[in-house]
Amino acid sequence: MTWNWDVAKDFLPELGRGLLITLEATALGSILAFALGLVWAMAFRSPTRFVRWPVAAVVEFIRNTPLLVQLFFFYYVLPTWDIKFSALTTGVIALGLHYSTYTAEVYRAGIDGVPKGQWEAATALSLSRGRTWTAVILPQAIRRVVPALGNYVIAMLKDSPMLALIGVVDMLQKARAEGASSFQYIEPYTMVGIAFIVIAYPASLLMRALERRLGH
Amino acid sequence: MTAGLWENWLLPGVWITIQLTLFSAVFAAVVAFGIGIARTSRLWIVRFLTGFYVEIFRGTSALVLMFWLFFVMPLAFGYQLVSMWAAVLALGLTYGAYGSEIVRGAIASVAPAQREAAIALSFTPAQRMRRVILPQAIPEMIPPFNNLLIELLKATALVSAVSVADITFAAQLSRLATGDSLEIYAIILVLYFVLAFVLTRLMRLLERRAKAGIGQAPVKSDKGPLVTRKLSARQESEQSSNIITGGAQ
C-alpha cells in the first residue's frame, strides 16, 4: 500500500466541490421523490381503476428496472425528442422518479395506517375530498413515515454516484478525472468511499433515533 | 437494430447478467449467513467486528466500492482480479451486508420458547442453530431475500461501468453503433423487467415450499406490489410492519 498524503491533500478541495454536487443531486432528487411518491400513493387510492391500474403498472415497471439504465434512457432519449436538460437535471429526474416508486409504498403504508374512523369522521363533517386529504389524512400519515422517507434519502445518497456515469461532476466523477489525468487512483477512490461512510452512517443513526422518537 | 448486434452483444449480455446475478447471489448468501449468524455470537469482539463490516459495506456506495476494487486494489496490493470476479466480489460483499440484517432479523424472530426448549434438551449451540432455529428462520427470510435479489439484479447494471459486457454494456455499444437510443434502452428495460419477474415468481414458489416444509399455511398473496420495496438503512420488513401496525389501533 503506497498511500501518498500529498495527493490526498491536493484532492481534498476537489472532493469538497464534488461533495456539494453529490448533496445537491441527493437533495433535489429527494424533493422530487417525495412529491411524486405522494402523487402515486394518492393515485393508488383513486376510486376508478382506470387511474389505479396504469399507475400501478408504471410504478411496478420503474421499480423493477435498474436506475442506471433509466438514467441512460433519459440522458440519451430525451434529447432526440428535443427535450434538453443538463446532465445534473437529467440525473435528478431519474433519481427522483426511481425513488418515488419506493416512497409511494411508504406513503401507502402510512395512509393505510390512518384509522378508518378518520375517513368516516371527515365524511360525517361533509368535508370535500381535497380537504379530507390535506386536513385529515395526510397530516396523520406523513408524520409516521418521516423516518422511512429519511432512509430513502440515505439510499439516494448512495446511488447518486451513478450520475457520474452521465458526466455529472460529483465526488465519483472528480475521483475518476483525477485518476485519468494523474494515475492517482488509490487516494481519490478511497477518500470518496470514506466520505460516503462518514455521511451515511451518522445519518442512519439519526433515522433510527427518529424512529424511536416518533414512537412505534 | 441490426441482427448482428442482437446476436453478438445483447444475447451474450443477457447471459452475463444472469451469471453475474447467480454468482453474486450465492456469494452474498454465504456472506449473509456467515455474518448474520456471527452477529448473534456471545463474544462481543465477534459481534463488534461483524457489526463494523455491515456498517462499512452498507454505508458506502456499491458503485464506489466497485471502482475501488477495480482501480485501487491492483495498485495497492498488486493483485488484479478478472473483471467479472471483481464485480461479483463487490456485489456479493455489499448485498451480503444487507442480507446479514435479514438473517439476523429472522433469527431474532424465532419464538424464544423454541430456543429454551432446545437448551432444555441439552442441544449444543451448533445443533440448536442447525436443527431448531434456522429451519424456522429460513422461511421468514425468503420474502425479504426476494426483494434483495431484485435489488442485486438491478445493481448488476453497474458492472457495465467497469467494462463487463452485461446487457447494459451491450446497450451502450449498440447505441454507439446505431444511434437508436429509444429502441435499445426500451428493449433493455423490458429485459430487466422480465428477469425480475421470473426471479420473483421463482422465489414465491420457494417460499410456498419452505412454509409447507415447516407446516405453515402458504400465505395468500396480498394485494401488495410484485416486489415490495428497497432495503435502505435497516431491515425493512421490520420497518414496514412498524408503519402498518403503528396506526391501526
Side-chain angles (χ1 to χ4, degrees):
Chain A
M1 177 78 96
T2 49
W3 180 271
N4 186 339
W5 282 108
D6 289 335
V7 175
K9 219 169 71 192
D10 288 344
F11 183 66
L12 206 57
E14 290 290 294
L15 184 76
R17 276 191 286 274
L19 176 63
L20 283 184
I21 299 288
T22 299
L23 293 179
E24 191 184 338
T26 308
L28 294 175
S30 307
I31 293 169
L32 186 61
F34 292 168
L36 267 181
L38 190 56
V39 173
W40 302 144
M42 287 170 72
F44 287 150
R45 282 205 160 247
S46 159
T48 153
R49 62 182 153 204
F50 295 109
V51 174
R52 279 198 313 264
W53 287 0
V55 167
V58 168
V59 165
E60 205 60 59
F61 187 79
I62 296 174
R63 205 204 319 258
N64 285 299
T65 51
L67 172 59
L68 184 63
V69 182
Q70 290 163 7
L71 204 57
F72 286 145
F73 184 92
F74 287 121
Y75 191 63
Y76 294 118
V77 174
L78 287 186
T80 64
W81 294 340
D82 277 326
I83 307 172
K84 293 199 171 66
F85 290 122
S86 70
L88 180 62
T89 313
T90 312
V92 166
I93 291 172
L95 201 61
L97 183 65
H98 189 80
Y99 274 90
S100 72
T101 62
Y102 293 114
T103 55
E105 283 307 307
V106 173
Y107 284 124
R108 173 152 86 169
I111 292 169
D112 288 348
V114 175
K116 214 168 142 235
Q118 298 286 325
W119 289 95
E120 289 162 358
T123 310
L125 292 169
S126 74
L127 295 182
S128 70
R129 209 172 154 72
R131 282 277 286 162
T132 306
W133 275 110
T134 55
V136 180
I137 305 301
L138 290 181
Q140 299 183 66
I142 290 178
R143 199 183 68 93
R144 247 193 308 263
V145 299
V146 166
L149 291 179
N151 285 334
Y152 286 116
V153 175
I154 301 171
M156 261 182 271
L157 172 77
K158 286 184 291 187
D159 271 354
S160 68
M162 278 185 219
L163 270 54
L165 301 179
I166 59 168
V168 176
V169 212
D170 69 342
M171 281 199 283
L172 182 64
Q173 182 65 6
K174 291 276 186 196
R176 288 170 86 203
E178 183 73 19
S181 66
S182 62
F183 294 101
Q184 306 289 354
Y185 285 106
I186 301 182
E187 297 82 4
Y189 282 132
T190 310
M191 285 162 74
V192 170
I194 292 171
F196 272 103
I197 295 165
V198 166
I199 303 167
Y201 183 56
S204 75
L205 287 184
L206 187 75
M207 285 308 143
R208 269 176 242 182
L210 205 61
E211 268 165 53
R212 271 199 299 275
R213 267 301 275 288
L214 288 182
H216 291 301
Chain B
M1 193 154 39
T2 54
L5 277 174
W6 181 260
E7 276 157 30
N8 295 327
W9 286 103
L10 274 182
L11 287 183
V14 173
W15 177 230
I16 296 271
T17 295
I18 292 173
Q19 276 179 306
L20 269 173
T21 310
L22 272 180
F23 294 146
S24 321
V26 170
F27 183 42
V30 172
V31 173
F33 276 95
I35 299 286
I37 292 173
R39 286 194 81 181
T40 63
S41 163
R42 262 178 307 180
L43 298 170
W44 73 268
I45 184 77
V46 176
R47 285 201 309 270
F48 176 78
L49 287 178
T50 49
F52 187 71
Y53 169 87
V54 171
E55 294 303 344
I56 293 288
F57 281 89
R58 286 193 318 175
T60 190
S61 157
L63 188 61
V64 172
L65 179 66
M66 213 172 280
F67 271 100
W68 197 89
L69 284 177
F70 266 78
F71 294 110
V72 176
M73 214 168 68
L75 287 173
F77 306 107
Y79 193 75
Q80 171 83 64
L81 283 168
V82 184
S83 54
M84 171 95 172
W85 292 110
V88 168
L89 187 65
L91 291 173
L93 287 175
T94 307
Y95 285 86
Y98 284 106
S100 74
E101 286 292 275
I102 296 174
V103 173
R104 188 173 68 118
I107 288 176
S109 75
V110 173
Q114 294 286 324
R115 199 172 313 240
E116 287 157 13
I119 294 172
L121 291 170
S122 78
F123 278 22
T124 65
Q127 276 179 321
R128 202 156 74 211
M129 186 58 79
R130 199 162 50 87
R131 299 206 171 268
V132 180
I133 311 287
L134 279 183
Q136 297 182 66
I138 285 174
E140 290 297 310
M141 294 176 200
I142 294 177
F145 268 150
N146 183 9
N147 290 347
L148 196 61
L149 199 55
I150 303 301
E151 292 302 323
L152 179 62
L153 168 71
K154 293 192 297 172
T156 60
L158 297 178
V159 302
S160 64
V162 284
S163 306
V164 178
D166 75 327
I167 318 179
T168 311
F169 189 79
Q172 279 162 294
L173 276 188
S174 310
R175 187 187 62 79
L176 286 175
T178 63
D180 301 332
S181 305
L182 173 64
E183 202 177 310
I184 289 163
Y185 284 114
I187 291 173
I188 300 302
L189 284 172
V190 171
L191 278 176
Y192 274 108
F193 184 76
V194 170
L195 286 177
F197 187 79
V198 171
L199 272 182
T200 309
R201 291 287 129 185
L202 287 177
M203 289 295 276
R204 286 269 161 89
L205 209 68
L206 199 66
E207 186 191 348
R208 258 205 297 280
R209 281 281 177 82
K211 284 259 162 81
I214 58 165
Q216 286 181 9
V219 196
K220 272 267 184 292
S221 78
D222 51 11
K223 279 211 183 135
L226 189 68
V227 172
T228 36
R229 70 197 81 94
K230 182 161 191 157
L231 288 162
S232 59
R234 49 184 304 213
Q235 204 205 338
E236 60 128 20
S237 57
E238 192 180 301
Q239 195 183 75
S240 54
S241 64
N242 280 342
I243 293 167
I244 292 161
T245 51
Q249 303 297 327

